[in-house]
């Protein structure tokens, strides 16, 4: 895949969110949502600090984007996230009508954008998401490995 300068820039921003999550003892996953070259939502995993199993980075970023746009539909947006989204997050991505998903590390156990499941292109859904995975996969994966190694 030939990554654009924009892809590299915004995944870098998502990585910054993931690094912050690690600093506050959260699973280091970060996400940003971009519309017309502007970040309209950002987030990092907050499940531990919020005692909320739905507070994944993608959901936090979608909530911020929806609030900033005053619309739950996030049409013509791209979501950059450091880990392949789970089924819950892909469901929210589909409902929000996000156009494109770019993720870093693959998640062979729980990834729902092509690894364990492929909900983004499931023909039973009326919305399809363009998916590009693997941008900064090593850096994103290393953050996660370091976090979980420190907890063992």
């Amino acid at each position: 895949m030939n990554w654009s300068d924009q892809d590299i820039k915004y995944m870098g921003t998502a990585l910054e969110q993931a690094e912050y999550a690690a600093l506050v003892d959260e699973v280091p996953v970060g996400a940003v949502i971009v519309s017309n070259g502007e970040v309209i939502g950002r987030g990092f995993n907050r499940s531990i600090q919020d005692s909320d199993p739905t507070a994944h980075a993608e959901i936090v970023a979608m909530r911020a984007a929806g609030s900033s746009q005053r619309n739950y539909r996030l049409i013509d947006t791209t979501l950059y996230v450091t880990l392949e989204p789970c089924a819950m997050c892909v469901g929210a991505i589909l409902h929000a009508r996000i156009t494109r998903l770019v993720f870093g590390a693959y998640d062979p156990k729980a990834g729902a954008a092509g690894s364990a499941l492929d909900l983004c292109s499931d023909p039973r859904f009326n919305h399809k998401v363009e998916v590009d995975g693997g941008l900064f996969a090593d850096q994103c994966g290393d953050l996660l490995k370091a976090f979980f190694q420190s907890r063992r």
Side-chain angles (χ1 to χ4, degrees):
M1 172 86 197
N2 286 332
W3 301 105
S4 72
D5 290 342
Q6 254 196 344
D7 289 337
I8 291 166
K9 172 185 174 182
Y10 294 122
M11 184 58 82
T13 304
L15 259 169
E16 290 170 2
Q17 291 290 302
E19 290 165 352
Y20 182 77
L23 289 175
V24 297
D25 265 348
E26 286 285 347
V27 176
V29 178
V32 296
I33 298 176
V34 177
S35 176
N36 296 317
E38 176 187 349
V39 174
I40 61 169
R42 65 183 73 224
F44 58 88
N45 272 13
R46 298 178 53 97
S47 295
I48 296 168
Q49 70 184 46
D50 290 356
S51 300
D52 180 355
T54 69
H56 290 193
E58 303 93 311
I59 302 294
V60 173
M62 281 187 268
R63 288 175 180 156
S67 182
S68 78
Q69 300 301 292
R70 303 185 84 125
N71 194 338
Y72 72 102
R73 296 282 195 222
L74 300 172
I75 297 167
D76 295 325
T77 61
T78 298
L79 168 62
Y80 294 87
V81 61
T82 58
L83 179 65
E84 180 182 358
C86 69
M88 173 186 71
C89 291
V90 170
I93 290 165
L94 290 168
H95 284 292
R97 303 296 193 263
I98 288 174
T99 305
R100 182 173 178 235
L101 165 66
V102 178
F103 67 85
Y106 287 85
D107 186 350
K109 291 183 181 179
S115 288
L117 300 168
D118 190 2
L119 298 177
C120 291
S121 61
D122 190 308
R124 294 172 287 187
F125 297 118
N126 65 347
H127 180 67
K128 304 294 177 263
V129 179
E130 177 187 339
V131 178
D132 294 306
L135 178 56
F136 297 157
D138 289 340
Q139 296 96 312
C140 297
D142 288 347
L143 264 178
L144 288 160
K145 287 175 194 157
F147 175 81
F148 287 113
Q149 284 174 346
S150 74
R151 296 185 148 241
R152 291 189 181 117

